[in-house]
Amino acid sequence: MSTTDTGERRRASDVRPVITDLIDEGTILSIAGEAWVALVGEDEVLVPLPGRLPVDIVSSWVDVVGPWTGSVVLTTGRSTAEELSRALLRETAPDVLDDEDVADAFGEIANVVGGNVKASLPGPSALSLPQVGNAPVVRNPADVCRIDLVWRGEPVSISVQGALPPLPVPSPTRENEVPQ
């Protein structure tokens, strides 16, 4: 009887990829720029400039599960998320946007950006439904690729961040060492 390694178990010699081995800031900027034009409008541009996020922030994100597992996270001020939602909804935007309207529209932007990031990663992957709220915690600072942008003078951050902690580094052993 022969067995086939399905890849379901991780061997000690396996190395989990980090996002910076798979994608770079330029790719994320290109993906975000195309999504912005398609969703927010042809005249709407993202400028790659660092900006200081306000205290009152909100994030929208989707999770990617595959050979690389993590989240694609958009973070900005609450008022900027509302303006993004208005720009996305255009003439169908109500006079007063409620939290659900903002969550749906801001989540859709994360969904499109995340879907395009997923498509640029190797291997088959799955994408979660978008979520809006406090961003997922960065589990491994070495597994983050982030760009800081400005839209209509307001800061927007997009990060592609791993969901898994770093793998332990095996310690060297001597051949004749006896465990105690």
Side-chain angles (χ1 to χ4, degrees):
M1 179 174 162
S2 67
T3 61
T4 302
D5 183 355
T6 63
E8 291 181 20
R9 59 190 160 91
R10 183 159 303 280
R11 292 174 291 280
S13 63
D14 287 350
V15 176
R16 187 168 48 225
V18 293
I19 197 61
T20 53
D21 293 338
L22 305 172
I23 197 169
D24 62 13
E25 290 95 352
T27 302
I28 296 170
L29 179 60
S30 176
I31 288 169
E34 290 174 17
W36 234 256
V37 168
L39 295 172
V40 183
E42 288 183 15
D43 297 329
E44 302 292 342
V45 294
L46 291 170
V47 180
L49 290 172
R52 187 174 184 163
L53 290 170
V55 175
D56 189 22
I57 61 170
V58 65
S59 296
S60 62
W61 69 93
V62 291
D63 296 323
V64 178
V65 178
W68 176 85
T69 297
S71 303
V72 179
V73 183
L74 281 72
T75 302
T76 193
R78 289 190 183 277
S79 62
T80 306
E82 186 174 308
E83 285 306 308
L84 272 168
S85 299
R86 283 192 182 289
L88 179 73
L89 295 170
R90 294 183 180 95
E91 61 276 348
T92 63
D95 291 337
V96 176
L97 289 174
D98 61 26
D99 290 343
E100 188 177 329
D101 294 326
V102 175
D104 288 347
F106 193 39
E108 181 57 22
I109 295 170
N111 190 46
V112 171
V113 172
N116 286 311
V117 167
K118 177 188 85 88
S120 69
L121 297 174
S125 297
L127 193 67
S128 74
L129 293 173
Q131 299 177 61
V132 176
N134 294 323
V137 174
V138 172
R139 303 282 310 272
N140 179 1
D143 195 8
V144 175
C145 188
R146 175 181 165 155
I147 59 172
D148 293 311
L149 310 158
V150 173
W151 174 73
R152 292 186 180 176
E154 297 298 325
V156 177
S157 169
I158 300 175
S159 66
V160 182
Q161 60 191 52
L164 304 173
L167 290 172
V169 177
S171 58
T173 60
R174 292 182 289 239
E175 211 173 280
N176 296 332
E177 190 172 287
V178 177
Q180 296 181 2

